[in-house]
Amino acid sequence: MMERSADLARNRPGDAVLKRLVELEPNTVKRLFARWSRNRDVRSWASGLVGERFTGRRLARLGAQWKVLHAVQWASGSDIDHLAVGPAGVFAINSKRHKGKEIWYGDRAITVNRVPTRHIAISQGEAQRIARVLSRHCGFSVPVRPVIAVVHATKLTVKNAAPPVLVVEAVDLPRRLAGMSPVLSADQVARIYEVARDARTWTRG
């Protein structure tokens, strides 16, 4: 039986980011204004927190057939921003807040204001790792699709008809995920979620 402390369903969007932000800025009052801090690291984590909370609110709009986890931590201390499990499959969602910037996604890379990033490669690697862990613990193959949820960008351009990573504005997440063709049965969704919500799954992975 899973202990209450091991149940990741209790996590809130951005919990892992908030933990790091508290370490960087212990002062509660100053943390309220962290997005305007003189410390670049504090600003970056504060912006990330806004993005993950925004994405989490959008994912909460998925129907009852969907199960969503947030801030799923690996033994290394890194975390999966959001993990959505539903009829359309399993999605590893990485929230990226690029306020006021233009995002362009070609075949293999994302640029932010024309500056290349490693968002695609990182998301693909994370999804593959999650798939291995879930498949091992579930006892059947669990494909995982990587998703990048773009938050507060001025413009998002996707130049790929069938991208390996789904790059979508966070506001559109519920519609995009719910609109996909079903690939999992209700029993499979329940089993995957049961495994995924147990923190011990990830510390052993």
Side-chain angles (χ1 to χ4, degrees):
M1 184 175 179
M2 180 171 51
E3 297 178 3
R4 180 176 170 81
S5 60
D7 188 359
L8 299 180
R10 302 171 64 211
N11 288 5
R12 297 168 300 180
D15 270 358
V17 176
L18 179 59
K19 181 179 178 181
R20 178 58 178 152
L21 187 57
V22 170
E23 292 173 355
L24 289 170
E25 181 49 83
N27 187 297
T28 304
V29 176
K30 289 184 178 180
R31 207 161 52 243
L32 293 173
F33 304 95
R35 278 184 285 167
W36 299 277
S37 172
R38 294 180 180 179
N39 185 314
R40 180 179 296 179
D41 286 342
V42 170
R43 291 199 309 271
S44 177
W45 284 97
S47 178
L49 180 59
V50 171
E52 289 194 28
R53 285 177 171 172
F54 183 91
T55 300
R57 289 194 297 271
R58 301 305 300 185
L59 289 170
R61 299 188 179 196
L62 285 167
Q65 293 176 305
W66 287 82
K67 303 295 182 183
V68 182
L69 296 170
H70 309 284
V72 176
Q73 285 200 283
W74 297 97
S76 63
S78 61
D79 76 292
I80 304 161
D81 293 352
H82 317 275
L83 193 65
V85 185
V90 181
F91 299 85
I93 302 165
N94 197 329
S95 179
K96 292 295 182 184
R97 184 173 187 256
H98 293 296
K99 184 178 180 181
K101 298 181 179 179
E102 294 190 3
I103 313 299
W104 186 89
Y105 177 30
D107 290 337
R108 299 180 180 178
I110 284 179
T111 61
V112 178
N113 279 357
R114 299 186 180 181
V115 178
T117 72
R118 297 192 66 247
H119 292 349
I120 297 300
I122 291 172
S123 292
Q124 287 180 302
E126 181 179 67
Q128 291 166 3
R129 184 182 181 190
I130 294 168
R132 287 194 298 269
V133 171
L134 289 178
S135 297
R136 182 167 70 247
H137 287 280
C138 288
F140 56 87
S141 178
V142 182
V144 177
R145 185 168 184 186
V147 179
I148 293 176
V150 178
V151 180
H152 297 156
T154 300
K155 183 179 180 181
L156 170 62
T157 303
V158 177
K159 292 291 186 179
N160 192 322
V165 177
L166 177 62
V167 179
V168 58
E169 292 188 46
V171 294
D172 288 335
L173 266 177
R175 179 182 62 82
R176 293 290 295 274
L177 297 187
M180 294 181 180
S181 300
V183 296
L184 295 177
S185 68
D187 286 345
Q188 286 175 315
V189 170
R191 174 57 181 161
I192 295 168
Y193 181 62
E194 177 188 17
V195 168
R197 71 187 292 183
D198 190 336
R200 295 169 296 185
T201 296
W202 310 101
T203 56
R204 296 167 186 162

